[in-house]
């Protein structure tokens, strides 16, 4: 029954939404499905960690972690959408809502899939479903972003498919590529095919996750996508991609390829942070900067997995915090766009004094993104550095710290210049007051961030410990 | 101990203008004049005590407090310096720092009093005074370092008494260099000829004189008296440093000390009559020269093994 | 410990209430004072308790932080700093309340809440016994002080200053991250107590020392890393810059001391570096201050100078520790501790009086002020007390701590071997030079602002500020005089703290040997005050019988002297800056009047900050231009993007498979 | 032996697509290549499973997708491909070089290939490389879609290696996904055409830093 509620129900609702006429009804359905989804996910927390519905679908600690993260974020975005889509639009948002609901079900599928082939299908469908979401405004730049997003991610998916095929070939003696079977008799896998498949999988799912050389679609896609879509993609979809990459790492750990794969992860991590550092510095467009910030945080995740040990725990912790932080900052950028009707940094000024609540949340978002203490990202960045220092990878630690400080230059240069000061006369400020639906999600996200960073509840700790044990960390 | 302090201060108060008198007499004698009587400074100060005061409207209480504070600071600094057989009444470990900073206090108040009058001439004098005194203070401290290294103690009287005949064989050059650089500091601190001309009235060239341009009556008297005491105290310290009389019996010490003071006064007169005032941007070079002398002295002490 | 925890609780409560109550102004002011005063007093009581009994107390809260744990402890070292923090925050807070009361259009309760947050984070930094908690409090302190600085955020200069401050402190903090993690790796745990038990090989201690110097030096303001100080202080409101330079830069000193306490044995070159940094920061700070003609920038550079003096004390203490000369180490650290407290008090006093000066005359430019002592008696006299104290002149607290530092340096001279003596004498010379230059600089500042006539602004309607602003200043002035005349109490506290640094209990004999000379010095000072009293009495009685008139200042016969003919701060500093011109980048520009009847001419002189203009600005520009050049990667052509992926794939294949 | 012939034929057709400039011919060439491709499962090891695979590929890649693409061409009314990134001659040379790299890699990796021919892995790699080159070097959106499909054919060749292992459901899922992918690409090409008046991606470059 829960399986249907989690995966099937949203898809069904998507079909219903396609048929409906009025926009308001669609929004309510969206809100209700996300609420149901959230309740079911929470209900799984009490139950045992490893649940097996059928050979293809099941839960383990890591997937439950990502599923909770996805459903909380989706629920918050659904509330935000009620306020966001208020003003009238010529074209009905049927396709938009339908794709969103399908996206929810495919993301649930990704977390639940125990078969590598099924995992690939779910990832591929999340990509295809998010393409129309980016193109909501039908503006030339939006179309260009969608085209680039489609092309690059479909190349990534193709490479992922090749990787899965190579994995299947290497798992020939095992006869199936169920995750459980591969992990149990990992020794039987033929090493050379496995290495080839790991490389192709890493590049494929790395493109989906937005790691360095394959990140080029991210700034365009997040720059042009509407804010809630940006929040969902940067928070939830990348988390699912990260889960897929974790599965690959899990396989490598079980097959004893630790020494083979960790240099690749570290290279990807440092490269992503380097690229992000270059592009955040002096960025002109706020949403593009958030795209690069997502590249940076994915780099930190990859670096954490690469370093192993305590850093795996830290990168999972970071994934959770990053998802909520990205959600928060993207929704804030949505409010900014509603208020200032522009994404350019120079004509958004003095947000604190023009829209006090959004201004405060903008600064809080900055504090969370930068990794200031009360929130979780500070601890995860510190732990990753601790692991780098104890594992005596001084070069990686040096670059890690260097890029973190350059990125800090970039962020504070952009966000603080926007938040403080006074709105200049020519800033095109619409006389709109901030409406409730666009503030409530920010408050919820901040609350969740506060609990995931400062007073970390007990069960959340155990989930993290089990998930990191799964992936070969301490 | 209170009586010895009073005795010490009485000696300083009574005898210090005499030093100025002797210098004035030697300067006049060298140019063939009889010059003013020996007690001329006493007459000047006495005259000023009987005169009324004129206060500028722009000045505040600081203008009147500065002469008093500078006189008192200089008087109190006399307690640390032994005069021949008269031992310093109140020595304590680290009194050279209080000694130097008391002069700093006096100088600080004189400078802000000069700025208080709000005239450009006093300001000129104040800024020059501030500039030169910074360098002079550094040289003074370097001399104290040499003495401290020689005597291994921070009490001024012990530092000076350690300088007996035997120490001259080993550290003769160091003490000589310290003495010479100290003499140059003496000239700079008391506005004697090479640094500043006490007798001139051309404002643009003066340093000390122009700072006291606006003072009158009792304030001017205190300032004159204070500068006389300052010359006396620093001179006494100079004599203590240079003349190794501390090993002799007390009676001989007093005789040699006072003879030294007179020789110092005469020496000052000679220096002033055969040298002209230096240009203002050359005075720092003079003080840097004194600093180098002291530095060489320090190196000698270090090499000789402290 | 309960005292300290209750004060923390009250402050947190106050901050929380203030955040909620952003609407009503009267209430927020009341809550602010209502929680600040008890909080600070309780904190001070806790600190005094530890200082008097010299027994450390600590407390472990079972709050599960991801990496470290919530472990607080107050030992005499942190108690001394805690005392400084509480006293200064209390007086600056009361002053701030008075200062901001008349500011109608700004939302004050947020500012008050941030003030509380800064205070709490500072108290946590000082009492944290766990590296992670220390870093958390350190970053909270940087963040809350950033937003405090940004009070007047409508001005562009303020935003630039805040931006520079945040960047420089945050980059410094990364060095601290690496340092603490290396120490944790060596000792196996994040707690300072376990770290203190571990033994650190000399090369590692050297590396940690360098990281510590950079990380804490950025906060403390050692010369090359001080660039944010002269920008942040003029930007912040004066009660914030008082707290910033009085206490917050001392956290750098505290951090350095805590690291020295943990690592204990260092290679000798560390003490040499500390002394050299002290000298350079001291002399450089005061020389740059001489060249500044804006009151708050001048005071900011003086903070750098006083940090230099503190580092001299620290350097001698460390040297004594390395050469196992307990006595020199003890006095060195005691001098450094006492100067930390003294500097906090008189620098706070100076900034507060500068603030009330700026509040009344609307400008901080020294060259446009003058003759304000008559209009602002309270501010003027308290500024004078602060100026005398900062120059280390005898009757005030600056002298006591400089005397201790001198004593430590001379102690070093007597007992260390050759290069020890050479360096200590160099340090004594530089300290003497600092003393002289500071006296000149503050004579310039006090004389130009408060004495003579007003140079360009009309001061007839300038009035003294409210009592709420003058009382805290008076309290700080009182503390300066009290320590100057009765130093025994504070010196014993400093010695107690220094004992924890040398981790050997000091016998009452050694304490006597140190304090006895100070008591005689106080006796001499009382004789000085007696003589002053007698001389003024003499003069007063004589003046009754002698004529006294009022007249125009004697301008050597010049008939119409105007107030603009007075010596300004720039002209006052010109001879000194001329002497040190090759050390400083001292530029004089402007067209001097040429013909016989010149219509107009103007001269302006400027001292540019070498560290900033020749290293940090170009470095920052280089990073920006590099990132602009590298932006070509995102060139817009999808084909190139796909090629990136293919090339990366082939590279991985070749690297990993072949 | 028949298998090697088919593999070589697929690779040659790929190269011909790379060289051709008219969209119509490219679609027909792609259909031919997919036809040969659908024959290969039967050649490797005939069986019920292989028949289903062949039918799937036939329906999807030989009939459905080419018609969709030609509909898109007619709708978007573009006939001739504009000059590719580096000119036809050089693209072909580059194609040859990439095939060389593919063969070198598969030779170096000495992957254990059991009963099927040792030509399979290199050919699959080279078809993927050719598809990729087509994707990268052309400006017309439709041509890029065709390049993507040729790459899918290459991946399908790899799937032959484990024909009877992967369950049918997964196989069908993969084909379905590719089809949906192409469908959405077609829709987006349609939008591009409405917005920019031509389906060339030359003016799709103003999103840059």
């Amino acid at each position: 029954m829960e399986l249907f509620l989690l995966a099937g129900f949203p898809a069904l609702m998507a079909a219903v939404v396609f048929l409906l006429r009025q926009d308001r009804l669609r929004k309510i359905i969206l809100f209700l499905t996300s609420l149901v989804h959230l309740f079911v996910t929470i209900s799984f927390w009490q139950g045992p960690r490893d649940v097996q519905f059928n050979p293809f679908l099941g839960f383990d600690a890591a997937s439950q972690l990502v599923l909770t993260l996805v459903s909380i974020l989706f629920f918050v975005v659904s509330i935000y959408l009620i306020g966001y889509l208020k003003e009238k639009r010529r074209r009905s948002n049927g396709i938009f809502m339908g794709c969103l609901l399908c996206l929810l079900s495919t993301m649930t599928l990704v977390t639940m899939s125990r078969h590598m082939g099924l995992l690939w299908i779910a990832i591929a469908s999340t990509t295809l479903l998010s393409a129309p979401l980016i193109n909501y405004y039908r503006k030339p730049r939006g179309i260009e972003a969608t085209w680039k997003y489609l092309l690059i991610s479909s190349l990534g998916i193709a490479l992922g498919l090749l990787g899965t095929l190579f994995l299947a070939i290497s798992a020939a003696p095992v006869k199936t590529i169920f995750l459980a079977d591969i992990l149990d008799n990992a020794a039987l896998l033929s090493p050379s095919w496995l290495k080839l498949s790991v490389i192709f999988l890493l590049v494929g799912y790395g493109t989906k996750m937005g790691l360095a050389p394959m990140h080029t679609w991210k700034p365009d896609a997040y720059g042009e996508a509407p804010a809630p879509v940006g929040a969902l993609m940067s928070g939830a979809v990348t988390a699912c991609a990260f889960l897929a990459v974790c599965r690959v790492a899990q396989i490598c750990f079980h097959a004893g390829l630790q020494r083979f794969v960790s240099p690749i992860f570290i290279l990807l991590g440092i490269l992503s942070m380097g690229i992000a550092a270059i592009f955040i510095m002096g960025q002109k467009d706020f949403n593009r900067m958030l795209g690069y910030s997502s590249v940076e945080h994915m780099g930190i995740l990859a670096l954490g997995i690469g370093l192993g040990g305590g850093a795996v725990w830290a990168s999972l912790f970071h994934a959770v915090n990053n998802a909520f932080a990205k959600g928060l900052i993207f929704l804030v950028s949505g409010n900014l766009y509603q208020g200032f009707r522009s994404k350019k940094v120079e004509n958004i000024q003095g947000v604190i004094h023009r829209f006090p609540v959004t201004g405060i949340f903008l600064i809080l978002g900055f504090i969370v993104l930068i990794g200031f203490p009360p929130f979780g990202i500070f601890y995860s960045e510190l732990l990753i550095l601790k692991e780098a220092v104890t594992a005596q990878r001084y070069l990686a630690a040096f670059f890690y710290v260097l890029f973190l400080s350059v990125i800090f230059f970039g962020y504070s240069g952009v966000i603080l210049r926007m938040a403080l000061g006074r709105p200049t006369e020519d800033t095109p400020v619409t006389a709109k007051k901030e409406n409730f639906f666009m503030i409530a999600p920010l408050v919820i996200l901040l609350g969740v961030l506060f609990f995931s960073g400062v007073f970390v509840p007990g069960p959340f700790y155990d989930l993290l410990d089990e998930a990191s044990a799964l992936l070969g960390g301490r | 101990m209170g009586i010895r302090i009073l005795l010490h201060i009485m000696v300083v108060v009574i005898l210090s203008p005499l030093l100025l008198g002797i210098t004035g007499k030697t300067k006049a004698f060298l140019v063939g004049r009889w010059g003013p009587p020996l007690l001329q400074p006493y007459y000047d100060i006495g005259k000023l005590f009987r005169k009324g005061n004129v206060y500028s409207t722009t000045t505040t209480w600081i203008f009147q407090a500065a002469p008093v504070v500078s006189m008192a600071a200089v008087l109190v600094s006399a307690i640390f310096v032994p005069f021949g057989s008269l031992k310093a009444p109140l020595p304590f470990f680290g009194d050279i720092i209080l000694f130097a900073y008391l002069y700093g206090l006096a100088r600080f108040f004189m400078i802000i009093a000069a700025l208080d009058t709000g005239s450009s001439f006093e300001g000129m004098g104040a800024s020059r005074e501030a500039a030169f005194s910074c360098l002079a203070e550094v040289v003074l401290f370097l001399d104290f370092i040499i003495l401290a290294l020689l005597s291994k103690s921070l009490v001024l009287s012990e530092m000076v008494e350690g300088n007996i005949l035997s120490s001259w064989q080993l550290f003769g050059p160091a003490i000589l260099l310290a003495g010479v650089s100290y003499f140059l500091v003496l000239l700079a601190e008391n506005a004697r000829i090479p640094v500043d001309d006490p007798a001139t009235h051309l404002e643009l060239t003066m340093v000390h004189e122009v700072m006291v341009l606006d003072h009158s009556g009792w304030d001017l008297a205190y300032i004159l008296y204070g500068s006389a005491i300052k010359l006396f105290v620093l001179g006494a310290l100079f004599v203590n440093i240079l003349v190794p009389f501390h090993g002799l019996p007390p009676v001989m010490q007093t005789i040699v000390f006072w003879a030294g003071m007179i020789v110092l006064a005469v020496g000052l007169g000679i220096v002033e009559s055969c040298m002209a005032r230096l240009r203002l941007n050359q005075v720092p070079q003079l003080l840097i020269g004194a600093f180098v002398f002291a530095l060489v002295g320090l190196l000698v002490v270090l090499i000789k093994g402290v | 410990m309960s005292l300290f925890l209750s004060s923390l609780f009250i402050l947190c409560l106050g901050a929380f209430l203030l955040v909620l109550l952003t609407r009503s102004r009267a209430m927020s002011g009341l809550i602010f004072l209502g929680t600040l005063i008890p909080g600070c007093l309780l904190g001070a009581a806790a600190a005094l308790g530890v200082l008097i009994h010299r027994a450390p107390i600590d407390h472990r809260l079972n709050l599960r932080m991801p990496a470290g744990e919530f472990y607080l402890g107050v030992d005499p070292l942190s108690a001394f700093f805690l005392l400084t923090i509480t006293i200064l925050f209390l007086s600056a807070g009361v002053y701030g309340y008075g200062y901001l009361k008349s500011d109608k259009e700004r939302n004050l309760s947020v500012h008050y809440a941030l003030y509380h947050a800064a205070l709490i984070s500072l108290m946590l930094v000082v009492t944290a016994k766990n590296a992670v908690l220390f870093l958390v409090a350190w970053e909270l302190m940087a963040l809350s002080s950033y937003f405090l600085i940004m009070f007047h955020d409508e001005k562009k200069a303020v935003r630039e200053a805040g931006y520079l401050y945040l960047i420089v402190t945050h980059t410094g903090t990364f060095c601290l991250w690496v340092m603490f993690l290396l120490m944790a790796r060596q000792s196996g745990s994040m707690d300072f107590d376990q770290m203190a038990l571990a033994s650190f090989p000399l090369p590692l201690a050297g590396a940690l020392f360098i990281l510590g110097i950079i990380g804490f030096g950025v906060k403390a303001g050692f010369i090359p890393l001080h660039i944010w100080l002269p920008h942040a202080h003029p930007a912040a409101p004066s009660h914030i810059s008082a707290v910033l330079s009085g206490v917050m830069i001392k956290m750098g000193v505290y951090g350095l001391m805590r690291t020295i306490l943990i690592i204990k044995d260092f290679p000798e070159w560390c003490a040499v570096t500390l002394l050299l940094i002290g000298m350079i920061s001291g002399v450089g700070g005061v020389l740059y201050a001489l060249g500044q003609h804006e009151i708050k920038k001048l005071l900011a550079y003086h903070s750098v100078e006083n940090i230099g003096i503190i580092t001299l004390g620290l350097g001698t203490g460390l040297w004594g520790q390395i050469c196992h000369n307990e006595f020199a180490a003890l006095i060195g650290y005691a001098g450094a501790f006492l100067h930390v407290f003294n500097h906090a008090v008189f620098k706070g006093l100076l900034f507060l009086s500068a603030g009330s000066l700026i509040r009344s005359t609307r400008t901080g430019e020294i060259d446009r002020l003058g003759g304000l002592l008559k209009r602002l008696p309270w501010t003027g006299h308290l500024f004078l007390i602060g100026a005398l104290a900062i120059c280390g002149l005898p009757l005030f607290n600056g002298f006591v701590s400089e005397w201790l530092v001198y004593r430590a340096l001379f102690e070093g001279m007597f007992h260390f071997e050759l290069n020890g003596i050479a360096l200590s004498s160099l340090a004594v010379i530089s300290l003497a030079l600092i003393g002289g230059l500071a006296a000149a600089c503050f004579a310039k500042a006090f004389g130009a602002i408060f004495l003579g006539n007003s140079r360009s602004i009309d001061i007839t309607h300038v009035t003294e500020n409210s009592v709420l602003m003058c009382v805290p200043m008076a309290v700080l002035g009182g503390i300066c005089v009290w320590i100057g005349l009765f130093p025994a109490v504070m010196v014993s506290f400093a010695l107690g703290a220094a004992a924890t640094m040398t981790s050997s209990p000091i016998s009452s004999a050694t304490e006597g040997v140190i304090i006895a000379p100070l008591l005689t010095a106080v006796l001499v000072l009382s004789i000085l005050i007696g003589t002053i009293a007698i001389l003024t009495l003499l003069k007063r009685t004589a003046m009754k019988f002698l004529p006294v008139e009022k007249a125009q200042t004697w301008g050597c016969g010049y008939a119409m002297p105007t107030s603009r003919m007075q010596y300004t701060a720039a002209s006052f500093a010109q001879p000194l800056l001329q002497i040190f011109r090759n050390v400083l980048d001292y530029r004089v520009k402007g067209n001097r009047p040429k013909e016989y009847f010149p219509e107009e001419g103007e001269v302006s002189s400027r001292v540019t900050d070498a560290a900033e203009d020749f290293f940090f600005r170009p470095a920052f520009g280089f990073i920006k231009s590099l990132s602009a050049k590298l932006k070509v990667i995102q060139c817009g052509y999808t084909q190139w993007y796909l090629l990136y992926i293919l090339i990366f794939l082939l590279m991985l294949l070749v690297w990993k498979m072949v | 032996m028949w298998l090697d012939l088919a593999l070589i034929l697929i690779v040659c057709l790929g190269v011909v697509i790379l060289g051709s400039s008219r969209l119509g011919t490219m679609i027909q060439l792609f259909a031919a290549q997919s036809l040969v491709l659908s024959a290969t499962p039967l050649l490797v090891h005939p069986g019920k499973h292989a028949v289903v695979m062949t039918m799937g590929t036939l329906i999807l890649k030989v009939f459905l997708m080419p018609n969709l693409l030609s509909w898109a061409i007619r709708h978007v009314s573009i006939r001739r491909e504009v000059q590719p990134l580096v000119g036809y001659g050089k693209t072909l040379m580059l194609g040859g070089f990439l095939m060389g790299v593919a063969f070198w890699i598969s030779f170096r990796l000495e992957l254990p290939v059991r009963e099927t021919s040792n030509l399979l892995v290199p050919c699959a790699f080279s078809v993927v490389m050719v598809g990729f080159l087509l994707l990268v070097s052309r400006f017309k959106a439709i041509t890029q879609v065709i390049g993507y499909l040729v790459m899918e054919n290459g991946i399908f060749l790899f799937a032959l290696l484990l024909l009877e292992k992967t369950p049918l459901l997964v196989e069908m899922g993969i084909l379905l996904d590719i089809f949906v992918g192409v469908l959405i690409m077609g829709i987006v090409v349609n939008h591009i055409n409405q917005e920019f008046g031509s389906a060339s991606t030359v003016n799709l470059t103003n999103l840059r830093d």
Side-chain angles (χ1 to χ4, degrees), chain B residues 258-269:
Chain B
W258 291 112
M261 290 300 277
I262 294 161
V263 163
L264 171 70
V266 167
L268 271 178

Side-chain angles (χ1 to χ4, degrees), chain C residues 341-347 349-350 382 385-390 394-400 473-486:
Chain C
F341 183 81
N342 289 345
H343 178 253
V345 172
F346 53 67
K347 185 43 66 67
L349 172 61
L350 285 171
L382 288 166
I385 291 176
L388 288 168
I390 199 167
L395 287 168
F396 298 91
N397 60 356
F399 174 74
V400 177
M473 291 201 286
V475 164
L476 288 177
I479 294 175
C480 284
V481 175
W482 172 64
I483 295 176
L485 295 180
F486 308 100

Side-chain angles (χ1 to χ4, degrees), chain B residues 13-14 17-18 20 38-53 71 216-226 228, chain C residues 542 546:
Chain B
V13 162
I14 293 158
L18 190 63
L20 286 179
L38 270 178
L39 303 179
Q40 183 55 33
Y42 292 93
Y43 300 144
D44 297 346
I45 292 166
K47 173 192 72 185
L48 285 172
F49 277 136
R50 287 191 300 280
K51 278 206 178 302
N53 281 51
M71 168 103 174
S216 58
W218 270 71
D219 302 326
L220 191 54
Y222 278 154
I223 289 170
L224 278 181
Y225 217 131
Chain C
L546 296 168

Side-chain angles (χ1 to χ4, degrees), chain D residues 16-17 20-32 73 79 146:
Chain D
V16 170
I17 294 176
S20 67
S21 68
R22 293 222 325 285
L23 280 172
T25 45
M26 285 169 89
I27 293 172
Q28 273 125 28
L29 283 169
F30 165 73
I73 298 174
R79 276 280 162 270
I146 294 172

